[in-house]
Amino acid sequence: VQSATTHPAPNAFNAATNDSVSNKIAPNHLKEELSTFLFNALSSTAHSADQVVTKASDLVLNALSLIGVNYRYGGNHPSSGLDCSGFVRYVVRDTLGFLLPRRAIEMSRLGEAVAKESLQPGDLVFFNTMRSAFSHVGIYIGDNKFVHAPSTGKQIRVDNMHTSYWSRRYNGARRVNTEIISDSDKRLARLRKQ
């Protein structure tokens, strides 16, 4: 069942990211392309509750606004650089208001497991990139793509999960939002925030 909610116009990405950090990071033509892509992806998954779709779209928009930020191992803030879990943690805290655990493997235990064929924008996707399960995390944005902080010397970017590299390393996905995350997970996240 499609939602009657109107989705933001494709230029909503420009408005949502009209701050000094994102303007230095993502050129306008890239913002427009990503906005159109996101609009189409969210339109196709609008069968979810309106509030969840809105929060998921906010999460994805926030994540996409950080494209171009430098990777830094242990990084927790865009101004100094972010690693994969620092990136996801920053975006979730900034968008949803709760703090996830610091490591990808700990994040993989929160929320609800999601089958690959049921992924929706805003879901967390996990990969084995360090010979260890759940050692890398990103945010799914739709159309088999995810945004993440890849590795030293690189910048936050969008990659396709169907490329052989990511496909071979895929470990699973979790849906972590304020409607789905359990009360115990929320308490744990709040304690870590303090």
Side-chain angles (χ1 to χ4, degrees), residues 41-77:
L42 288 176
S43 294
S44 68
T45 59
H47 64 283
S48 298
D50 292 343
Q51 188 175 15
V52 173
V53 170
T54 299
K55 288 185 181 201
S57 64
D58 290 347
L59 189 76
V60 172
L61 286 171
N62 197 354
L64 291 173
S65 74
L66 297 173
I67 287 176
V69 168
N70 288 328
Y71 177 94
R72 185 175 72 100
Y73 181 77
N76 289 306
H77 196 274

Side-chain angles (χ1 to χ4, degrees), residues 1-34:
V1 176
Q2 287 289 333
S3 169
T5 302
T6 57
H7 294 282
N11 286 337
F13 183 75
N14 289 334
T17 61
N18 194 17
D19 66 341
S20 60
V21 173
S22 65
N23 285 336
K24 291 177 186 172
I25 295 168
N28 284 333
H29 74 278
L30 179 59
K31 289 181 188 178
E32 289 173 19
E33 288 176 31
L34 290 171

